[in-house]
Amino acid sequence: MGKIAQGLERALRTRPVPSSTEARLRYLLTAHQGSTRRVAAVLGVSQRTVQRWVTKKPGARRLPGPLQTRAIEEAVRTRWQPRVRARRRAQAEAEGFVFHTRARFGFAAPAGSSDDPRVRWITQDLPGEVARELFAARDAGAGEQQQMVILARALGHAYFRDGGRRAHGLHIAFSDVEFADFSIG
């Protein structure tokens, strides 16, 4: 997961995802009404394996391996706060969001301008159309590069061209993202 996708995920949550494997397993069991069979089906392991992971009997408990730990983490991330995520996404698509980044920006501009790329800190309000486009691209499986193109176009219009009031021929190159955070509401 790239920095932009991570920033979007952080913006959609109000509480952190459980960090330990045991807490994640407890969450999955709670989400599936305590059914080890359903949790096993989600994780692609046997019911007995899940029972070994969550048992309280001394000596019978087993820890999940690295592949199972990643599967548990992914299952929890996809199920964490679904109503909050939907509400915050709808809010971002309706009202827009604030984008905070530190990245390298360069320009393709007319002769006589400074087009050398340099690192900039930028905090900019972006409209709901950008949020809709960004979420649609993410849902369609777009990679980090495609998301960067969407954000570069939006930053070019809102920040560098001041909403279309100046620098009309300026095209933005956006790369080397150090961090990307989104503030919704």
Side-chain angles (χ1 to χ4, degrees), residues 8-9 11-12 85 88-93 97 128-142 147 150 182 184:
L8 278 173
E9 285 300 313
L12 293 176
R85 293 167 54 86
R88 291 183 61 91
R89 178 178 174 162
Q91 183 180 5
E93 290 176 350
F97 59 90
E129 299 88 51
V130 176
R132 278 191 292 281
E133 188 177 359
L134 204 54
F135 284 122
R138 186 191 69 165
D139 293 345
Q147 293 173 349
I150 294 167
F182 299 83
I184 299 171

Side-chain angles (χ1 to χ4, degrees), residues 155-173:
L155 285 173
H157 178 74
Y159 182 82
F160 292 102
R161 289 191 296 273
D162 195 20
R165 290 188 282 274
R166 62 184 175 91
H168 299 290
L170 189 67
H171 297 286
I172 309 303

Side-chain angles (χ1 to χ4, degrees), residues 5-182:
Q6 288 173 352
L8 278 173
E9 285 300 313
R10 281 192 304 271
L12 293 176
R13 293 190 304 254
T14 57
R15 292 189 341 231
V17 177
S19 57
S20 72
T21 303
E22 292 81 18
R24 290 175 180 158
L25 282 168
R26 280 194 307 271
Y27 170 76
L28 285 174
L29 281 169
T30 302
H32 293 287
Q33 291 84 33
S35 171
T36 55
R37 177 176 287 138
R38 285 196 237 156
V39 172
V42 166
L43 298 175
V45 296
S46 70
Q47 181 179 3
R48 184 68 188 124
T49 299
V50 174
Q51 290 170 345
R52 284 188 197 108
W53 291 341
V54 297
T55 187
K56 303 232 188 280
K57 294 180 185 174
R61 186 176 189 136
R62 300 284 184 259
L63 297 176
L67 291 175
Q68 290 87 12
T69 302
R70 272 189 242 117
I72 292 167
E73 179 180 1
E74 185 61 33
V76 170
R77 284 192 188 282
T78 59
R79 288 165 178 77
W80 188 249
Q81 294 187 314
R83 289 181 296 199
V84 171
R85 293 167 54 86
R87 186 179 68 238
R88 291 183 61 91
R89 178 178 174 162
Q91 183 180 5
E93 290 176 350
E95 301 170 7
F97 59 90
V98 178
F99 180 54
H100 313 274
T101 189
R102 179 176 162 94
R104 183 170 306 280
F105 290 91
F107 310 100
S113 66
S114 171
D115 59 354
D116 292 336
R118 62 180 183 258
V119 174
R120 294 177 185 246
W121 289 81
I122 294 180
T123 298
Q124 180 65 44
D125 284 319
L126 294 175
E129 299 88 51
V130 176
R132 278 191 292 281
E133 188 177 359
L134 204 54
F135 284 122
R138 186 191 69 165
D139 293 345
E144 186 82 357
Q145 201 60 34
Q146 291 168 311
Q147 293 173 349
M148 285 173 57
V149 167
I150 294 167
L151 288 170
R153 189 172 52 245
L155 285 173
H157 178 74
Y159 182 82
F160 292 102
R161 289 191 296 273
D162 195 20
R165 290 188 282 274
R166 62 184 175 91
H168 299 290
L170 189 67
H171 297 286
I172 309 303
F174 180 37
S175 63
D176 300 337
V177 177
E178 291 181 21
F179 73 89
D181 282 327
F182 299 83

